[in-house]
Amino acid sequence: MAPNSVAVTMEKPDNFSLLEINGSDPSSFPDNKRKSISPKQFSWFLLLKAHRVVSCLSWLFTSVKKRIDFSSKNINEEEDPKSRGKQMYRFIKACLVISIVALSIEIVAHYKKWNLDLINRPSWEVRGLVEWSYMAWLSFRSDYIAPIVITLSKFCTVLFLIQSLDRLVLCLGCFWIKFKKIEPKIIDDDLDLEDASNFPMVLIQIPMCNEREVYEQSIGAASQLDWPKDRILIQVLDDSDDPNLQLLIKEEVSAWAEKGVNIIYRHRLIRTGYKAGNLKSAMTCDYVKDYEFVTIFDADFQPNPDFLKKTIPHFKGNPELGLVQARWSFVNKDENLLTRLQNINLCFHFEVEQQVNGVFLNFFGFNGTAGVWRIKALEESGGWLERTTVEDMDIAVRAHLNGWKFVYLNDVEVTCELPESYEAYKKQQHRWHSGPMQLFRLCLPSIIKSKISVGKKANLIFLFFLLRKLILPFYSFTLFCIILPLTMFIPEAELPLWIICYVPIFISLLNILPSPKSFPFLIPYLLFENTMSITKFNAMISGLFQLGSAYEWVVTKKTGRSSESDLLAFAEKEEKLHRRNSESGLELLSKLKEQEMNLVEQETVKKSIGGLRPKNKKKRNMVFKKELGLAFLLLTAAARSFLSAHGLHFYFLLFQGLSFLVVGLDLIGEQIN
């Protein structure tokens, strides 16, 4: 017997056994508490895990199907056959089908190890039609498809690097402004605050259309601006098509007029041209000629009382100045993940883009609100035009071509709201990215023929329009949502890690610098920006080629959160309306109650003695087919990457696909009513 062996005897003669154990092997003494697993138990364990995986996938696809079926019953821009992006959706579906077929082939090839055998074997040794077809596909892919994908990926990479360099230069310019403490100076600070006759005449315009949730706060904030009452006029430009809402707004205007505010209500009978048509119509009033400046506030904007005293003095002693633009701040930036991510983008836009362009070029795009225009600059530049959905950028470009200068005030903020639902945000972004391409087509001849310097022409054409409005959405969608998934099935064109990971993270860090509290949202921000690229790319194409959706204008949905604190004013108004026994008074009261309790719907109150309130409808999610299609495309590519053990490529595709899935099922932001 070996020296390291142990003999164990049983005293019962009829059950004698001898067991030899190698004492040098610690594994020979298993823990008594551990029980061995039989092959049958192990098989059941694997079946249980497989059942859970299948259940999860079944639940996912069932949820998507139910969501699509439910959404198809509602009026949905994605379901309407005349809706925008129909060709884009078909293209994504085609890519998805091709990727699924390719993944199926690659899975079979992976388990049969064709990738290792067929390439080095001569064609006469290949057995079977499937093996021969796969080898033919490898040869065709390498000779014809890979060069095209490689060329396109290199082109998009160059655009990506140019745009990244532009972001870096803008950030360096912002650092220089901070380091040198450069800020706009008031040339002639000789405004006598005691003599009201020295104050220039200022016209305040508040354009709105069906802004039920926020009209009170905008009118109230404008009425409390610190400016002599006889030197200011507030125009409430209401384009609402709801008669009851018109009565509410008239009541609000009358209430402030009774307090001595110089304010008027104006409603167009022919509502053409959207916001541009509304502003253009208001500027035709005879009394406008008595005013020197015009300030515009959208319906959800609430300026501080000292807004005019911080902006108007910049015009004095500076006759070439045509526009003073203030910064936006957001009352609901921490409301949900969607508003946090929007805040990152807009903070960079105002802190970096607007400030750098204002300091070094005296030109930037007018933001459409929270700005003061010299009326002479508007008139000499052709006034408001209805030819695009970005009337603010249109007038800014024409004023710049006429030699007017702009000033941006980063320290003057006007509070407003961010869209809290993805549907509202998507429609807003579509308008913001299709309009500039419309304008570029219309303004290019004027830019070339203008008398401004060659440097300013180059800035307008190549930086302002092409790089930041066309190239950015083009490469973002093409490179990260189309080419990258395709390269998983075309290994010859695989993108390097620095394109997928390092440079995007660096650029995202630059974007987050103006809002340092958002650093924990770096990765969600990077993924969400790529997710939004499909909307921006589709909008850019619509505007560039004058497709039908390029002329679509949808008022961004507001919640009126910032008006909830004004409970005393609401109580006073409710008591006043209670004293009215007329039917219209009861309707107004019912409407105000609905607004304060966030139960307002897009239908009128039924006329009755008691003023019935409409029932509160359940909130519903939308379904966005293009985002869902890209989600499954990216997840399919992630599965192919997993087979090849690509590492970071797999994780990027996985999380980017999940990001598209979350957005496609409308699980980001607030659900809409």
Side-chain angles (χ1 to χ4, degrees):
M1 185 178 294
N4 290 332
S5 301
V6 179
V8 181
T9 62
M10 305 293 292
E11 293 183 356
K12 294 182 179 181
D14 56 346
N15 192 16
F16 177 82
S17 64
L18 178 64
L19 175 65
E20 291 188 4
I21 303 176
N22 188 357
S24 62
D25 186 7
S27 63
S28 300
F29 298 93
D31 188 359
N32 292 332
K33 297 181 180 179
R34 183 182 301 174
K35 296 181 180 180
S36 61
I37 301 176
S38 66
K40 185 176 181 180
Q41 291 175 321
F42 185 68
S43 299
W44 278 108
F45 173 78
L46 292 180
L47 287 174
L48 179 61
K49 291 294 183 182
H51 179 266
R52 289 182 178 178
V53 172
V54 173
S55 299
C56 291
L57 293 176
S58 177
W59 172 84
L60 176 62
F61 286 105
T62 303
S63 300
V64 173
K65 186 176 183 300
K66 288 182 178 179
R67 184 69 59 80
I68 293 175
D69 291 340
F70 175 77
S71 180
S72 63
K73 299 176 183 178
N74 302 288
I75 298 176
N76 188 343
E77 51 146 4
E78 300 289 334
E79 301 291 337
D80 188 0
K82 297 182 180 180
S83 64
R84 60 173 177 264
K86 191 175 181 180
Q87 291 77 13
M88 177 64 66
Y89 177 55
R90 290 175 177 173
F91 171 74
I92 294 173
K93 283 201 302 183
C95 291
L96 177 59
V97 171
I98 294 173
S99 66
I100 292 175
V101 173
L103 177 62
S104 302
I105 297 174
E106 293 293 340
I107 291 175
V108 174
H110 176 78
Y111 283 103
K112 289 184 175 293
K113 298 182 180 180
W114 290 348
N115 291 318
L116 301 177
D117 299 336
L118 292 184
I119 297 177
N120 298 322
R121 289 167 56 186
S123 59
W124 60 80
E125 294 184 9
V126 177
R127 298 179 180 178
L129 178 62
V130 178
E131 293 184 10
W132 182 87
S133 301
Y134 183 71
M135 190 175 69
W137 156 248
L138 292 180
S139 177
F140 179 80
R141 183 185 73 186
S142 176
D143 295 339
Y144 299 101
I145 299 180
I148 297 175
V149 177
I150 291 173
T151 302
L152 184 58
S153 63
K154 287 182 178 180
F155 176 68
C156 291
T157 301
V158 171
L159 297 180
F160 178 37
L161 294 177
I162 293 175
Q163 198 273 336
S164 301
L165 180 62
D166 175 61
R167 287 293 172 108
L168 180 60
V169 171
L170 286 174
C171 289
L172 292 176
C174 185
F175 290 146
W176 181 258
I177 292 173
K178 299 294 184 184
F179 178 72
K180 291 294 186 178
K181 298 181 179 179
I182 301 174
E183 58 183 19
K185 301 294 184 182
I186 299 176
I187 298 178
D188 187 0
D189 192 12
D190 188 20
L191 182 63
D192 187 3
L193 300 179
E194 301 297 332
D195 187 2
S197 61
N198 290 330
F199 285 74
M201 299 287 285
V202 180
L203 179 66
I204 307 293
Q205 293 181 332
I206 309 177
M208 60 179 64
C209 180
N210 297 324
E211 306 280 4
R212 186 187 303 273
E213 295 81 7
V214 293
Y215 72 90
E216 282 185 288
Q217 62 195 42
S218 59
I219 295 175
S223 299
Q224 299 178 59
L225 289 171
D226 187 9
W227 204 255
K229 301 300 181 183
D230 59 339
R231 314 294 293 179
I232 187 174
L233 172 64
I234 302 174
Q235 285 182 319
V236 178
L237 310 176
D238 180 26
D239 261 1
S240 303
D241 54 8
D242 183 355
N244 290 315
L245 181 56
Q246 295 174 22
L247 289 175
L248 287 169
I249 298 175
K250 287 180 181 179
E251 178 70 22
E252 183 71 16
V253 171
S254 299
W256 284 104
E258 291 175 1
K259 297 177 182 179
V261 178
N262 193 10
I263 183 172
I264 61 174
Y265 173 86
R266 197 169 189 275
H267 179 76
R268 293 192 299 163
L269 297 178
I270 303 177
R271 300 165 55 250
T272 58
Y274 302 112
K275 181 180 176 181
N278 199 358
L279 295 172
K280 180 179 180 180
S281 175
M283 294 299 292
T284 60
C285 297
D286 294 336
Y287 52 79
V288 172
K289 65 179 182 296
D290 298 328
Y291 292 85
E292 186 177 357
F293 304 103
V294 58
T295 304
I296 301 170
F297 296 114
D298 282 350
D300 59 317
F301 279 72
Q302 303 174 76
N304 293 325
D306 60 351
F307 175 84
L308 293 179
K309 290 186 175 180
K310 287 185 175 181
T311 54
I312 296 295
H314 287 272
F315 289 96
K316 193 170 184 180
N318 192 358
E320 296 181 347
L321 182 60
L323 168 68
V324 174
Q325 174 71 57
R327 178 174 179 165
W328 299 359
S329 62
F330 311 103
V331 296
N332 60 340
K333 62 182 179 181
D334 297 323
E335 186 63 29
N336 54 45
L337 178 60
L338 179 60
T339 57
R340 290 177 184 271
L341 299 179
Q342 292 179 67
N343 181 61
I344 295 174
N345 266 339
L346 290 171
C347 281
F348 181 87
H349 170 70
F350 286 105
E351 184 82 19
V352 180
E353 290 181 340
Q354 296 291 76
Q355 187 170 208
V356 170
N357 290 327
V359 169
F360 294 105
L361 299 175
N362 293 121
F363 167 73
F364 47 82
F366 174 46
N367 294 117
T369 179
V372 183
W373 276 95
R374 191 188 297 271
I375 294 181
K376 182 180 178 181
L378 285 177
E379 294 174 345
E380 290 185 356
S381 303
W384 299 105
L385 298 181
E386 307 167 11
R387 57 183 182 173
T388 70
T389 57
V390 284
E391 74 294 327
D392 44 9
M393 186 182 294
D394 189 356
I395 187 63
V397 170
R398 286 184 282 117
H400 179 58
L401 296 179
N402 284 330
W404 291 98
K405 296 181 178 180
F406 302 165
V407 165
Y408 172 74
L409 303 179
N410 194 56
D411 58 341
V412 180
E413 297 184 357
V414 181
T415 58
C416 60
E417 284 189 28
L418 291 167
E420 294 184 10
S421 71
Y422 178 70
E423 184 198 25
Y425 179 61
K426 182 177 181 178
K427 291 178 179 178
Q428 181 196 69
Q429 292 300 304
H430 186 274
R431 175 165 52 87
W432 285 5
H433 285 82
S434 65
M437 289 298 96
Q438 292 177 305
L439 184 61
F440 178 64
R441 288 170 54 97
L442 296 171
C443 285
L444 183 59
S446 301
I447 295 173
I448 296 175
K449 297 176 183 178
S450 65
K451 297 180 180 180
I452 61 176
S453 65
V454 176
K456 291 183 177 180
K457 290 181 181 180
N459 171 69
L460 267 178
I461 295 174
F462 296 108
L463 293 180
F464 186 76
F465 280 112
L466 291 181
L467 183 60
R468 297 167 190 166
K469 303 298 189 297
L470 187 149
I471 291 177
L472 176 58
F474 172 78
Y475 86 76
S476 181
F477 171 72
T478 307
L479 186 62
F480 294 106
C481 299
I482 300 299
I483 294 179
L484 178 58
L486 288 180
T487 58
M488 295 300 99
F489 302 96
I490 309 174
E492 298 87 350
E494 182 176 323
L495 296 175
L497 284 178
W498 61 269
I499 296 179
I500 300 171
C501 182
Y502 305 138
V503 176
I505 289 180
F506 176 70
I507 298 302
S508 298
L509 281 172
L510 293 181
N511 290 346
I512 288 182
L513 284 178
S515 53
K517 293 183 179 180
S518 301
F519 271 100
F521 302 95
L522 174 64
I523 300 303
Y525 171 73
L526 173 61
L527 297 175
F528 182 71
E529 280 300 287
N530 290 334
T531 305
M532 285 303 301
S533 64
I534 174 63
T535 298
K536 297 176 181 179
F537 177 82
N538 188 32
M540 181 268 293
I541 295 297
S542 298
L544 189 62
F545 296 102
Q546 300 292 293
L547 303 180
S549 62
Y551 298 95
E552 183 181 74
W553 180 293
V554 180
V555 178
T556 305
K557 179 69 176 177
K558 314 293 193 317
T559 61
R561 291 185 180 276
S562 54
S563 65
E564 292 176 358
S565 60
D566 196 9
L567 297 178
L568 292 178
F570 171 75
E572 179 183 354
K573 186 170 298 183
E574 182 178 357
E575 181 181 358
K576 178 180 178 181
L577 292 174
H578 262 304
R579 291 197 296 264
R580 298 184 180 181
N581 294 322
S582 64
E583 180 181 346
S584 61
L586 291 173
E587 275 190 3
L588 288 172
L589 176 58
S590 177
K591 288 290 184 178
L592 289 170
K593 285 182 177 180
E594 290 171 332
Q595 175 190 339
E596 194 63 28
M597 298 177 68
N598 294 325
L599 298 176
V600 179
E601 304 294 338
Q602 295 300 319
E603 57 186 28
T604 62
V605 177
K606 295 180 180 180
K607 294 183 179 181
S608 63
I609 299 178
L612 296 178
R613 179 186 301 172
K615 295 182 179 180
N616 187 32
K617 295 182 179 179
K618 292 183 178 180
K619 293 183 178 181
R620 62 182 176 88
N621 291 79
M622 307 291 287
V623 169
F624 303 99
K625 285 189 174 181
K626 293 191 290 293
E627 285 80 355
L628 281 180
L630 280 174
F632 292 122
L633 173 62
L634 290 166
L635 293 176
T636 304
R640 176 63 182 88
S641 177
F642 180 76
L643 291 177
S644 303
H646 278 149
L648 282 178
H649 290 74
F650 164 72
Y651 289 109
F652 178 85
L653 289 167
L654 176 63
F655 289 110
Q656 188 64 71
L658 293 176
S659 175
F660 269 102
L661 185 63
V662 168
V663 172
L665 295 177
D666 197 15
L667 300 179
I668 185 172
E670 290 291 329
Q671 298 173 342
I672 64 170
N673 280 332

